[in-house]
Amino acid sequence: MTDLMKRQSLKTLGALTGGLSLMSLTGCNPAPTVMQDASDAADEALWQQADAIIASIAPTSFPAQDFPITDFGAVGDGHTDNTQAIAAAIAACATAGGGRVLVPAGRFMTGAIHLKSNVNLHLQTDAVLSFYTDAAHYLPKVFTRWEGVELIGYSPLIYAFEQENIAVTGDGILEGNGSATNWWPWKGVWERRNWDYDASVDQVQTRTPIFQMAEQGVPVAERQMDNDFLRPPFIQPYRCKRVLIEGITIRNSPFWLINPVLSQDVVVRSVNCVSHGPNSDGCNPESCNRVLIEDCLFDTGDDCIALKSGRNNDGRRLATPIQNVVIQDCVMRSGHGGVVMGSEISGGARNIFARRCRMSSPDLKRGIRIKTNSVRGGLIENIYIRDIDIGEVQDAIVINFFYEEGDAGDFMPEVRNLHISNLQVAKAQRAFELRGFERAPISGVTLNHVHFKQVESLGLLDNVAGIAHYDVTVNGAPFALP
């Protein structure tokens, strides 16, 4: 078993992060923020809110009793179907008032796992939960959300619905077995496709009609199709309270890796997200309140962290923002974006804090990214980002109002109070991609102590009403709006 297959402390991640220094991995600031003007003092006061959010998160707590899945007939031989044995262990644990459902060393094959309140699914060292790739193992279908739209679809690999005090923890591995022959071909056309295109399993034949149903206001219970090619997310707590995901390694997911939806008090800590398939987003909290994501590694085929709140009319129907989120001390490698908001952001986003993160990879497309359009809309406000080191990236800071459909709707996206401070970018193709609408230009952006050391171009600044900035340099020269 390789080191990547085990839980890694930040002090031992050097080999996994493309040469980032030990200091950059331990959560230390790359350099103290120099207090030079009044805005710095205001920035410090704002960040007290991040500490307050962390303190407000209600923690999980479990009785000190264990339920090994092997006591319920599970066999870790890589062949036996352990779906029912794991379900029996979870049921027994919940009936007894809660505790840990233990997965010992071995390779345990399984289908969908449904957590119950007060259950901690705990993978011990050298434990692997290996999930089947046939859709039949994820039936019956459940109430779920897929790309920001509620529907009745395949069960996520690990799912909880309206449960409280749940966890997935330990040093083991969750193996989704996504590949060029399993799950991923349902994506259809993809820029990095290494499979032969098969129109008969292309997700568009499910995705398009389901999204149309949502736009037409069809009740969620009726949004389901027999011809279903929507890949399930890996871990999805839905309308849950007090959720902990800690220590595990998640690999080769069919779709998004960690996807809490409409949940409260969510902690994702010290998790390794390693999946390079289509839509392999690392952690996508949707319409959640009080979320902490810390000390995690993201090496993914899509956004590392993407904060979301529903797509188009369905997001506006629920009208629940993603809010009160703290992201800290994470390492981002490959991905479409490091810290991202959108694109399913119709319910809005507010009070988002990201600090002490380290990003670097020639395959990292964007560092800080906001993506929306006038079909999505969404108010994105009170976003605070500081002490970020970016080694190598294609585009460092991106706010794009033209994502996917572009300016094709009546719902103006709006960004308010985006503050970025103490951001260091060693190498980028472009410093900025800022694309607003002529009728709704980008505004409300403040940059303090931001330094782009080596960039090929300033990038695109289109329909930007103004950027307040202090101590910002590009290739060693003071920054000025063109």
Side-chain angles (χ1 to χ4, degrees), residues 78 107-111 128-134 138 157 173-185 234 250-255 274-275:
R107 189 177 187 90
F108 294 87
M109 302 300 300
T110 185
V128 179
L129 279 176
S130 184
F131 288 80
Y132 288 107
T133 57
D134 60 298
Y138 304 95
L157 279 57
I173 296 168
L174 300 176
E175 174 59 67
N177 292 303
S179 69
T181 55
N182 297 309
W183 291 125
W184 295 350
F234 210 129
I250 307 173
R251 302 191 313 196
N252 302 317
S253 180
F255 188 61
V274 184
S275 182

PDB file of all heavy atoms in Angstrom, residues 78 107-111 128-134 138 157 173-185 234 250-255 274-275:
ATOM      1  N   GLY A  78     -11.974  -9.189  -0.963  1.00  0.00           N
ATOM      2  CA  GLY A  78     -12.014  -8.560  -2.273  1.00  0.00           C
ATOM      3  C   GLY A  78     -13.002  -9.178  -3.227  1.00  0.00           C
ATOM      4  O   GLY A  78     -13.045  -8.778  -4.406  1.00  0.00           O
ATOM      5  N   ARG A 107      -9.973  -5.918   2.137  1.00  0.00           N
ATOM      6  CA  ARG A 107     -10.667  -5.252   1.039  1.00  0.00           C
ATOM      7  C   ARG A 107     -12.100  -5.751   1.014  1.00  0.00           C
ATOM      8  O   ARG A 107     -12.360  -6.915   0.656  1.00  0.00           O
ATOM      9  CB  ARG A 107      -9.966  -5.522  -0.298  1.00  0.00           C
ATOM     10  CG  ARG A 107     -10.510  -4.690  -1.462  1.00  0.00           C
ATOM     11  CD  ARG A 107      -9.721  -4.940  -2.746  1.00  0.00           C
ATOM     12  NE  ARG A 107     -10.128  -4.020  -3.804  1.00  0.00           N
ATOM     13  CZ  ARG A 107      -9.570  -2.831  -4.027  1.00  0.00           C
ATOM     14  NH1 ARG A 107      -8.569  -2.439  -3.244  1.00  0.00           N
ATOM     15  NH2 ARG A 107      -9.989  -2.046  -4.993  1.00  0.00           N
ATOM     16  N   PHE A 108     -13.023  -4.896   1.374  1.00  0.00           N
ATOM     17  CA  PHE A 108     -14.420  -5.261   1.534  1.00  0.00           C
ATOM     18  C   PHE A 108     -15.233  -4.687   0.372  1.00  0.00           C
ATOM     19  O   PHE A 108     -15.352  -3.470   0.227  1.00  0.00           O
ATOM     20  CB  PHE A 108     -14.954  -4.744   2.867  1.00  0.00           C
ATOM     21  CG  PHE A 108     -14.314  -5.388   4.069  1.00  0.00           C
ATOM     22  CD1 PHE A 108     -13.136  -4.882   4.603  1.00  0.00           C
ATOM     23  CD2 PHE A 108     -14.883  -6.520   4.653  1.00  0.00           C
ATOM     24  CE1 PHE A 108     -12.537  -5.466   5.702  1.00  0.00           C
ATOM     25  CE2 PHE A 108     -14.282  -7.119   5.755  1.00  0.00           C
ATOM     26  CZ  PHE A 108     -13.104  -6.600   6.282  1.00  0.00           C
ATOM     27  N   MET A 109     -15.784  -5.544  -0.441  1.00  0.00           N
ATOM     28  CA  MET A 109     -16.641  -5.123  -1.543  1.00  0.00           C
ATOM     29  C   MET A 109     -18.017  -4.754  -0.998  1.00  0.00           C
ATOM     30  O   MET A 109     -18.547  -5.415  -0.096  1.00  0.00           O
ATOM     31  CB  MET A 109     -16.780  -6.234  -2.581  1.00  0.00           C
ATOM     32  CG  MET A 109     -15.457  -6.704  -3.177  1.00  0.00           C
ATOM     33  SD  MET A 109     -14.553  -5.387  -4.022  1.00  0.00           S
ATOM     34  CE  MET A 109     -15.728  -4.914  -5.301  1.00  0.00           C
ATOM     35  N   THR A 110     -18.599  -3.679  -1.571  1.00  0.00           N
ATOM     36  CA  THR A 110     -19.906  -3.257  -1.081  1.00  0.00           C
ATOM     37  C   THR A 110     -20.634  -2.431  -2.127  1.00  0.00           C
ATOM     38  O   THR A 110     -20.017  -1.860  -3.039  1.00  0.00           O
ATOM     39  CB  THR A 110     -19.774  -2.449   0.222  1.00  0.00           C
ATOM     40  OG1 THR A 110     -21.078  -2.152   0.728  1.00  0.00           O
ATOM     41  CG2 THR A 110     -19.008  -1.148  -0.006  1.00  0.00           C
ATOM     42  N   GLY A 111     -21.938  -2.369  -1.956  1.00  0.00           N
ATOM     43  CA  GLY A 111     -22.760  -1.422  -2.693  1.00  0.00           C
ATOM     44  C   GLY A 111     -23.033  -0.220  -1.819  1.00  0.00           C
ATOM     45  O   GLY A 111     -22.223   0.138  -0.955  1.00  0.00           O
ATOM     46  N   VAL A 128     -10.029  -1.187   3.283  1.00  0.00           N
ATOM     47  CA  VAL A 128     -10.498  -0.631   2.020  1.00  0.00           C
ATOM     48  C   VAL A 128     -11.968  -1.012   1.844  1.00  0.00           C
ATOM     49  O   VAL A 128     -12.313  -2.196   1.895  1.00  0.00           O
ATOM     50  CB  VAL A 128      -9.685  -1.161   0.819  1.00  0.00           C
ATOM     51  CG1 VAL A 128     -10.223  -0.571  -0.487  1.00  0.00           C
ATOM     52  CG2 VAL A 128      -8.208  -0.855   0.981  1.00  0.00           C
ATOM     53  N   LEU A 129     -12.814  -0.015   1.671  1.00  0.00           N
ATOM     54  CA  LEU A 129     -14.176  -0.262   1.210  1.00  0.00           C
ATOM     55  C   LEU A 129     -14.176  -0.027  -0.292  1.00  0.00           C
ATOM     56  O   LEU A 129     -13.992   1.101  -0.753  1.00  0.00           O
ATOM     57  CB  LEU A 129     -15.167   0.667   1.907  1.00  0.00           C
ATOM     58  CG  LEU A 129     -15.629   0.272   3.313  1.00  0.00           C
ATOM     59  CD1 LEU A 129     -16.531   1.351   3.896  1.00  0.00           C
ATOM     60  CD2 LEU A 129     -16.355  -1.072   3.299  1.00  0.00           C
ATOM     61  N   SER A 130     -14.360  -1.083  -1.051  1.00  0.00           N
ATOM     62  CA  SER A 130     -14.299  -1.023  -2.505  1.00  0.00           C
ATOM     63  C   SER A 130     -15.721  -1.157  -3.051  1.00  0.00           C
ATOM     64  O   SER A 130     -16.395  -2.165  -2.813  1.00  0.00           O
ATOM     65  CB  SER A 130     -13.407  -2.140  -3.039  1.00  0.00           C
ATOM     66  OG  SER A 130     -13.250  -2.048  -4.429  1.00  0.00           O
ATOM     67  N   PHE A 131     -16.187  -0.136  -3.779  1.00  0.00           N
ATOM     68  CA  PHE A 131     -17.584  -0.062  -4.173  1.00  0.00           C
ATOM     69  C   PHE A 131     -17.803  -0.627  -5.571  1.00  0.00           C
ATOM     70  O   PHE A 131     -17.032  -0.374  -6.498  1.00  0.00           O
ATOM     71  CB  PHE A 131     -18.066   1.390  -4.102  1.00  0.00           C
ATOM     72  CG  PHE A 131     -18.234   1.884  -2.695  1.00  0.00           C
ATOM     73  CD1 PHE A 131     -17.140   2.293  -1.953  1.00  0.00           C
ATOM     74  CD2 PHE A 131     -19.481   1.902  -2.099  1.00  0.00           C
ATOM     75  CE1 PHE A 131     -17.285   2.744  -0.644  1.00  0.00           C
ATOM     76  CE2 PHE A 131     -19.640   2.343  -0.788  1.00  0.00           C
ATOM     77  CZ  PHE A 131     -18.540   2.763  -0.055  1.00  0.00           C
ATOM     78  N   TYR A 132     -18.881  -1.386  -5.697  1.00  0.00           N
ATOM     79  CA  TYR A 132     -19.250  -1.960  -6.989  1.00  0.00           C
ATOM     80  C   TYR A 132     -19.555  -0.853  -8.000  1.00  0.00           C
ATOM     81  O   TYR A 132     -19.939   0.256  -7.644  1.00  0.00           O
ATOM     82  CB  TYR A 132     -20.463  -2.867  -6.843  1.00  0.00           C
ATOM     83  CG  TYR A 132     -20.160  -4.170  -6.142  1.00  0.00           C
ATOM     84  CD1 TYR A 132     -20.604  -4.394  -4.839  1.00  0.00           C
ATOM     85  CD2 TYR A 132     -19.433  -5.164  -6.772  1.00  0.00           C
ATOM     86  CE1 TYR A 132     -20.342  -5.592  -4.187  1.00  0.00           C
ATOM     87  CE2 TYR A 132     -19.162  -6.377  -6.126  1.00  0.00           C
ATOM     88  CZ  TYR A 132     -19.608  -6.569  -4.829  1.00  0.00           C
ATOM     89  OH  TYR A 132     -19.330  -7.758  -4.190  1.00  0.00           O
ATOM     90  N   THR A 133     -19.392  -1.192  -9.271  1.00  0.00           N
ATOM     91  CA  THR A 133     -19.584  -0.204 -10.328  1.00  0.00           C
ATOM     92  C   THR A 133     -20.838  -0.452 -11.160  1.00  0.00           C
ATOM     93  O   THR A 133     -21.087   0.279 -12.115  1.00  0.00           O
ATOM     94  CB  THR A 133     -18.368  -0.186 -11.268  1.00  0.00           C
ATOM     95  OG1 THR A 133     -18.162  -1.500 -11.806  1.00  0.00           O
ATOM     96  CG2 THR A 133     -17.122   0.264 -10.532  1.00  0.00           C
ATOM     97  N   ASP A 134     -21.642  -1.458 -10.797  1.00  0.00           N
ATOM     98  CA  ASP A 134     -22.899  -1.649 -11.510  1.00  0.00           C
ATOM     99  C   ASP A 134     -23.998  -0.875 -10.801  1.00  0.00           C
ATOM    100  O   ASP A 134     -24.093  -0.875  -9.573  1.00  0.00           O
ATOM    101  CB  ASP A 134     -23.259  -3.132 -11.600  1.00  0.00           C
ATOM    102  CG  ASP A 134     -23.407  -3.765 -10.229  1.00  0.00           C
ATOM    103  OD1 ASP A 134     -22.398  -3.780  -9.483  1.00  0.00           O
ATOM    104  OD2 ASP A 134     -24.507  -4.209  -9.892  1.00  0.00           O
ATOM    105  N   TYR A 138     -26.985   0.440  -6.429  1.00  0.00           N
ATOM    106  CA  TYR A 138     -27.335   1.758  -5.891  1.00  0.00           C
ATOM    107  C   TYR A 138     -28.840   2.018  -6.047  1.00  0.00           C
ATOM    108  O   TYR A 138     -29.284   3.146  -6.132  1.00  0.00           O
ATOM    109  CB  TYR A 138     -26.454   2.828  -6.544  1.00  0.00           C
ATOM    110  CG  TYR A 138     -25.015   2.440  -6.300  1.00  0.00           C
ATOM    111  CD1 TYR A 138     -24.293   1.711  -7.259  1.00  0.00           C
ATOM    112  CD2 TYR A 138     -24.409   2.679  -5.073  1.00  0.00           C
ATOM    113  CE1 TYR A 138     -23.011   1.269  -6.999  1.00  0.00           C
ATOM    114  CE2 TYR A 138     -23.121   2.236  -4.808  1.00  0.00           C
ATOM    115  CZ  TYR A 138     -22.434   1.531  -5.764  1.00  0.00           C
ATOM    116  OH  TYR A 138     -21.165   1.083  -5.491  1.00  0.00           O
ATOM    117  N   LEU A 157     -22.790   6.617  -2.999  1.00  0.00           N
ATOM    118  CA  LEU A 157     -22.110   5.435  -2.485  1.00  0.00           C
ATOM    119  C   LEU A 157     -22.232   5.361  -0.964  1.00  0.00           C
ATOM    120  O   LEU A 157     -22.484   4.295  -0.401  1.00  0.00           O
ATOM    121  CB  LEU A 157     -20.640   5.426  -2.928  1.00  0.00           C
ATOM    122  CG  LEU A 157     -20.376   4.911  -4.348  1.00  0.00           C
ATOM    123  CD1 LEU A 157     -21.126   5.680  -5.423  1.00  0.00           C
ATOM    124  CD2 LEU A 157     -18.876   4.918  -4.655  1.00  0.00           C
ATOM    125  N   ILE A 173      -9.286   3.496   3.211  1.00  0.00           N
ATOM    126  CA  ILE A 173      -9.516   3.989   1.857  1.00  0.00           C
ATOM    127  C   ILE A 173     -10.949   3.692   1.432  1.00  0.00           C
ATOM    128  O   ILE A 173     -11.460   2.583   1.634  1.00  0.00           O
ATOM    129  CB  ILE A 173      -8.544   3.307   0.870  1.00  0.00           C
ATOM    130  CG1 ILE A 173      -7.101   3.681   1.205  1.00  0.00           C
ATOM    131  CG2 ILE A 173      -8.878   3.688  -0.570  1.00  0.00           C
ATOM    132  CD1 ILE A 173      -6.098   2.843   0.466  1.00  0.00           C
ATOM    133  N   LEU A 174     -11.557   4.701   0.804  1.00  0.00           N
ATOM    134  CA  LEU A 174     -12.814   4.511   0.097  1.00  0.00           C
ATOM    135  C   LEU A 174     -12.481   4.490  -1.390  1.00  0.00           C
ATOM    136  O   LEU A 174     -12.051   5.497  -1.949  1.00  0.00           O
ATOM    137  CB  LEU A 174     -13.788   5.638   0.414  1.00  0.00           C
ATOM    138  CG  LEU A 174     -14.185   5.806   1.881  1.00  0.00           C
ATOM    139  CD1 LEU A 174     -15.081   7.027   2.053  1.00  0.00           C
ATOM    140  CD2 LEU A 174     -14.894   4.561   2.405  1.00  0.00           C
ATOM    141  N   GLU A 175     -12.684   3.356  -2.031  1.00  0.00           N
ATOM    142  CA  GLU A 175     -12.326   3.171  -3.436  1.00  0.00           C
ATOM    143  C   GLU A 175     -13.600   3.126  -4.262  1.00  0.00           C
ATOM    144  O   GLU A 175     -14.405   2.206  -4.146  1.00  0.00           O
ATOM    145  CB  GLU A 175     -11.529   1.875  -3.602  1.00  0.00           C
ATOM    146  CG  GLU A 175     -11.213   1.503  -5.041  1.00  0.00           C
ATOM    147  CD  GLU A 175     -10.415   2.572  -5.767  1.00  0.00           C
ATOM    148  OE1 GLU A 175      -9.247   2.791  -5.401  1.00  0.00           O
ATOM    149  OE2 GLU A 175     -10.989   3.175  -6.706  1.00  0.00           O
ATOM    150  N   GLY A 176     -13.763   4.138  -5.148  1.00  0.00           N
ATOM    151  CA  GLY A 176     -14.963   4.201  -5.966  1.00  0.00           C
ATOM    152  C   GLY A 176     -14.888   3.414  -7.253  1.00  0.00           C
ATOM    153  O   GLY A 176     -15.906   3.162  -7.889  1.00  0.00           O
ATOM    154  N   ASN A 177     -13.663   3.066  -7.681  1.00  0.00           N
ATOM    155  CA  ASN A 177     -13.438   2.246  -8.877  1.00  0.00           C
ATOM    156  C   ASN A 177     -13.900   2.901 -10.171  1.00  0.00           C
ATOM    157  O   ASN A 177     -14.142   2.216 -11.176  1.00  0.00           O
ATOM    158  CB  ASN A 177     -14.095   0.864  -8.723  1.00  0.00           C
ATOM    159  CG  ASN A 177     -13.408   0.026  -7.662  1.00  0.00           C
ATOM    160  OD1 ASN A 177     -12.209  -0.212  -7.739  1.00  0.00           O
ATOM    161  ND2 ASN A 177     -14.156  -0.382  -6.642  1.00  0.00           N
ATOM    162  N   GLY A 178     -14.027   4.243 -10.161  1.00  0.00           N
ATOM    163  CA  GLY A 178     -14.266   4.928 -11.415  1.00  0.00           C
ATOM    164  C   GLY A 178     -13.068   4.798 -12.333  1.00  0.00           C
ATOM    165  O   GLY A 178     -11.914   4.840 -11.889  1.00  0.00           O
ATOM    166  N   SER A 179     -13.338   4.636 -13.636  1.00  0.00           N
ATOM    167  CA  SER A 179     -12.241   4.418 -14.583  1.00  0.00           C
ATOM    168  C   SER A 179     -12.755   4.635 -15.998  1.00  0.00           C
ATOM    169  O   SER A 179     -13.933   4.963 -16.209  1.00  0.00           O
ATOM    170  CB  SER A 179     -11.695   2.988 -14.447  1.00  0.00           C
ATOM    171  OG  SER A 179     -12.651   2.051 -14.914  1.00  0.00           O
ATOM    172  N   ALA A 180     -11.899   4.395 -16.966  1.00  0.00           N
ATOM    173  CA  ALA A 180     -12.295   4.526 -18.361  1.00  0.00           C
ATOM    174  C   ALA A 180     -13.304   3.464 -18.785  1.00  0.00           C
ATOM    175  O   ALA A 180     -13.920   3.565 -19.854  1.00  0.00           O
ATOM    176  CB  ALA A 180     -11.067   4.446 -19.267  1.00  0.00           C
ATOM    177  N   THR A 181     -13.497   2.454 -17.947  1.00  0.00           N
ATOM    178  CA  THR A 181     -14.470   1.405 -18.265  1.00  0.00           C
ATOM    179  C   THR A 181     -15.644   1.379 -17.301  1.00  0.00           C
ATOM    180  O   THR A 181     -16.642   0.702 -17.566  1.00  0.00           O
ATOM    181  CB  THR A 181     -13.797   0.018 -18.268  1.00  0.00           C
ATOM    182  OG1 THR A 181     -13.139  -0.191 -17.003  1.00  0.00           O
ATOM    183  CG2 THR A 181     -12.755  -0.077 -19.372  1.00  0.00           C
ATOM    184  N   ASN A 182     -15.533   2.084 -16.170  1.00  0.00           N
ATOM    185  CA  ASN A 182     -16.594   2.081 -15.169  1.00  0.00           C
ATOM    186  C   ASN A 182     -16.974   3.506 -14.766  1.00  0.00           C
ATOM    187  O   ASN A 182     -16.100   4.303 -14.402  1.00  0.00           O
ATOM    188  CB  ASN A 182     -16.149   1.319 -13.910  1.00  0.00           C
ATOM    189  CG  ASN A 182     -15.881  -0.140 -14.185  1.00  0.00           C
ATOM    190  OD1 ASN A 182     -16.708  -0.829 -14.768  1.00  0.00           O
ATOM    191  ND2 ASN A 182     -14.710  -0.614 -13.784  1.00  0.00           N
ATOM    192  N   TRP A 183     -18.250   3.812 -14.804  1.00  0.00           N
ATOM    193  CA  TRP A 183     -18.829   5.089 -14.386  1.00  0.00           C
ATOM    194  C   TRP A 183     -18.449   6.257 -15.294  1.00  0.00           C
ATOM    195  O   TRP A 183     -19.301   6.945 -15.812  1.00  0.00           O
ATOM    196  CB  TRP A 183     -18.450   5.450 -12.948  1.00  0.00           C
ATOM    197  CG  TRP A 183     -19.040   4.628 -11.858  1.00  0.00           C
ATOM    198  CD1 TRP A 183     -18.348   3.959 -10.874  1.00  0.00           C
ATOM    199  CD2 TRP A 183     -20.430   4.399 -11.559  1.00  0.00           C
ATOM    200  NE1 TRP A 183     -19.206   3.330 -10.004  1.00  0.00           N
ATOM    201  CE2 TRP A 183     -20.497   3.586 -10.399  1.00  0.00           C
ATOM    202  CE3 TRP A 183     -21.615   4.807 -12.168  1.00  0.00           C
ATOM    203  CZ2 TRP A 183     -21.713   3.166  -9.836  1.00  0.00           C
ATOM    204  CZ3 TRP A 183     -22.836   4.400 -11.613  1.00  0.00           C
ATOM    205  CH2 TRP A 183     -22.863   3.593 -10.467  1.00  0.00           C
ATOM    206  N   TRP A 184     -17.165   6.526 -15.468  1.00  0.00           N
ATOM    207  CA  TRP A 184     -16.732   7.748 -16.135  1.00  0.00           C
ATOM    208  C   TRP A 184     -17.220   7.877 -17.576  1.00  0.00           C
ATOM    209  O   TRP A 184     -17.511   9.003 -18.010  1.00  0.00           O
ATOM    210  CB  TRP A 184     -15.211   7.890 -16.059  1.00  0.00           C
ATOM    211  CG  TRP A 184     -14.693   8.066 -14.654  1.00  0.00           C
ATOM    212  CD1 TRP A 184     -15.425   8.303 -13.528  1.00  0.00           C
ATOM    213  CD2 TRP A 184     -13.330   8.012 -14.233  1.00  0.00           C
ATOM    214  NE1 TRP A 184     -14.600   8.403 -12.424  1.00  0.00           N
ATOM    215  CE2 TRP A 184     -13.317   8.221 -12.824  1.00  0.00           C
ATOM    216  CE3 TRP A 184     -12.118   7.800 -14.892  1.00  0.00           C
ATOM    217  CZ2 TRP A 184     -12.125   8.234 -12.089  1.00  0.00           C
ATOM    218  CZ3 TRP A 184     -10.933   7.818 -14.150  1.00  0.00           C
ATOM    219  CH2 TRP A 184     -10.949   8.034 -12.767  1.00  0.00           C
ATOM    220  N   PRO A 185     -17.358   6.792 -18.344  1.00  0.00           N
ATOM    221  CA  PRO A 185     -17.869   6.960 -19.711  1.00  0.00           C
ATOM    222  C   PRO A 185     -19.279   7.549 -19.783  1.00  0.00           C
ATOM    223  O   PRO A 185     -19.672   8.066 -20.833  1.00  0.00           O
ATOM    224  CB  PRO A 185     -17.825   5.533 -20.275  1.00  0.00           C
ATOM    225  CG  PRO A 185     -16.699   4.881 -19.535  1.00  0.00           C
ATOM    226  CD  PRO A 185     -16.820   5.427 -18.144  1.00  0.00           C
ATOM    227  N   PHE A 234     -19.987  10.393  -4.221  1.00  0.00           N
ATOM    228  CA  PHE A 234     -19.434   9.377  -3.314  1.00  0.00           C
ATOM    229  C   PHE A 234     -20.066   9.485  -1.922  1.00  0.00           C
ATOM    230  O   PHE A 234     -20.710   8.548  -1.452  1.00  0.00           O
ATOM    231  CB  PHE A 234     -17.904   9.542  -3.211  1.00  0.00           C
ATOM    232  CG  PHE A 234     -17.182   8.255  -2.945  1.00  0.00           C
ATOM    233  CD1 PHE A 234     -16.107   7.874  -3.736  1.00  0.00           C
ATOM    234  CD2 PHE A 234     -17.568   7.402  -1.918  1.00  0.00           C
ATOM    235  CE1 PHE A 234     -15.430   6.688  -3.515  1.00  0.00           C
ATOM    236  CE2 PHE A 234     -16.906   6.212  -1.680  1.00  0.00           C
ATOM    237  CZ  PHE A 234     -15.832   5.854  -2.487  1.00  0.00           C
ATOM    238  N   ILE A 250     -10.118   9.147  -0.275  1.00  0.00           N
ATOM    239  CA  ILE A 250     -11.199   8.847  -1.218  1.00  0.00           C
ATOM    240  C   ILE A 250     -10.603   8.831  -2.616  1.00  0.00           C
ATOM    241  O   ILE A 250      -9.960   9.799  -3.035  1.00  0.00           O
ATOM    242  CB  ILE A 250     -12.315   9.909  -1.139  1.00  0.00           C
ATOM    243  CG1 ILE A 250     -12.797  10.070   0.311  1.00  0.00           C
ATOM    244  CG2 ILE A 250     -13.473   9.522  -2.048  1.00  0.00           C
ATOM    245  CD1 ILE A 250     -13.772  11.208   0.505  1.00  0.00           C
ATOM    246  N   ARG A 251     -10.823   7.744  -3.343  1.00  0.00           N
ATOM    247  CA  ARG A 251     -10.204   7.589  -4.659  1.00  0.00           C
ATOM    248  C   ARG A 251     -11.230   7.234  -5.731  1.00  0.00           C
ATOM    249  O   ARG A 251     -12.195   6.540  -5.475  1.00  0.00           O
ATOM    250  CB  ARG A 251      -9.138   6.487  -4.611  1.00  0.00           C
ATOM    251  CG  ARG A 251      -8.033   6.708  -3.601  1.00  0.00           C
ATOM    252  CD  ARG A 251      -6.890   5.736  -3.780  1.00  0.00           C
ATOM    253  NE  ARG A 251      -7.331   4.355  -3.939  1.00  0.00           N
ATOM    254  CZ  ARG A 251      -6.530   3.312  -3.808  1.00  0.00           C
ATOM    255  NH1 ARG A 251      -5.260   3.484  -3.540  1.00  0.00           N
ATOM    256  NH2 ARG A 251      -6.988   2.085  -3.967  1.00  0.00           N
ATOM    257  N   ASN A 252     -10.968   7.727  -6.940  1.00  0.00           N
ATOM    258  CA  ASN A 252     -11.661   7.280  -8.159  1.00  0.00           C
ATOM    259  C   ASN A 252     -13.177   7.287  -8.019  1.00  0.00           C
ATOM    260  O   ASN A 252     -13.856   6.286  -8.236  1.00  0.00           O
ATOM    261  CB  ASN A 252     -11.166   5.876  -8.535  1.00  0.00           C
ATOM    262  CG  ASN A 252      -9.662   5.858  -8.745  1.00  0.00           C
ATOM    263  OD1 ASN A 252      -9.107   6.762  -9.362  1.00  0.00           O
ATOM    264  ND2 ASN A 252      -8.999   4.850  -8.198  1.00  0.00           N
ATOM    265  N   SER A 253     -13.686   8.463  -7.688  1.00  0.00           N
ATOM    266  CA  SER A 253     -15.121   8.604  -7.477  1.00  0.00           C
ATOM    267  C   SER A 253     -15.871   8.590  -8.803  1.00  0.00           C
ATOM    268  O   SER A 253     -15.375   9.103  -9.813  1.00  0.00           O
ATOM    269  CB  SER A 253     -15.402   9.923  -6.756  1.00  0.00           C
ATOM    270  OG  SER A 253     -16.782  10.106  -6.535  1.00  0.00           O
ATOM    271  N   PRO A 254     -17.102   8.064  -8.824  1.00  0.00           N
ATOM    272  CA  PRO A 254     -17.903   8.180 -10.044  1.00  0.00           C
ATOM    273  C   PRO A 254     -18.153   9.633 -10.417  1.00  0.00           C
ATOM    274  O   PRO A 254     -18.175   9.990 -11.603  1.00  0.00           O
ATOM    275  CB  PRO A 254     -19.218   7.478  -9.669  1.00  0.00           C
ATOM    276  CG  PRO A 254     -18.866   6.572  -8.537  1.00  0.00           C
ATOM    277  CD  PRO A 254     -17.767   7.259  -7.789  1.00  0.00           C
ATOM    278  N   PHE A 255     -18.348  10.485  -9.395  1.00  0.00           N
ATOM    279  CA  PHE A 255     -18.773  11.872  -9.596  1.00  0.00           C
ATOM    280  C   PHE A 255     -18.141  12.687  -8.467  1.00  0.00           C
ATOM    281  O   PHE A 255     -17.022  12.407  -8.055  1.00  0.00           O
ATOM    282  CB  PHE A 255     -20.314  11.897  -9.586  1.00  0.00           C
ATOM    283  CG  PHE A 255     -20.955  13.207  -9.956  1.00  0.00           C
ATOM    284  CD1 PHE A 255     -20.744  13.771 -11.205  1.00  0.00           C
ATOM    285  CD2 PHE A 255     -21.786  13.867  -9.067  1.00  0.00           C
ATOM    286  CE1 PHE A 255     -21.355  14.976 -11.556  1.00  0.00           C
ATOM    287  CE2 PHE A 255     -22.403  15.060  -9.394  1.00  0.00           C
ATOM    288  CZ  PHE A 255     -22.182  15.622 -10.643  1.00  0.00           C
ATOM    289  N   VAL A 274      -8.379  12.079  -3.961  1.00  0.00           N
ATOM    290  CA  VAL A 274      -7.523  11.768  -5.099  1.00  0.00           C
ATOM    291  C   VAL A 274      -8.368  11.071  -6.165  1.00  0.00           C
ATOM    292  O   VAL A 274      -8.670   9.882  -6.075  1.00  0.00           O
ATOM    293  CB  VAL A 274      -6.333  10.873  -4.680  1.00  0.00           C
ATOM    294  CG1 VAL A 274      -5.405  10.637  -5.874  1.00  0.00           C
ATOM    295  CG2 VAL A 274      -5.567  11.494  -3.516  1.00  0.00           C
ATOM    296  N   SER A 275      -8.787  11.830  -7.165  1.00  0.00           N
ATOM    297  CA  SER A 275      -9.640  11.274  -8.206  1.00  0.00           C
ATOM    298  C   SER A 275      -9.521  12.168  -9.431  1.00  0.00           C
ATOM    299  O   SER A 275      -9.738  13.380  -9.331  1.00  0.00           O
ATOM    300  CB  SER A 275     -11.097  11.218  -7.730  1.00  0.00           C
ATOM    301  OG  SER A 275     -11.941  10.632  -8.693  1.00  0.00           O
TER     302      SER A 275
END
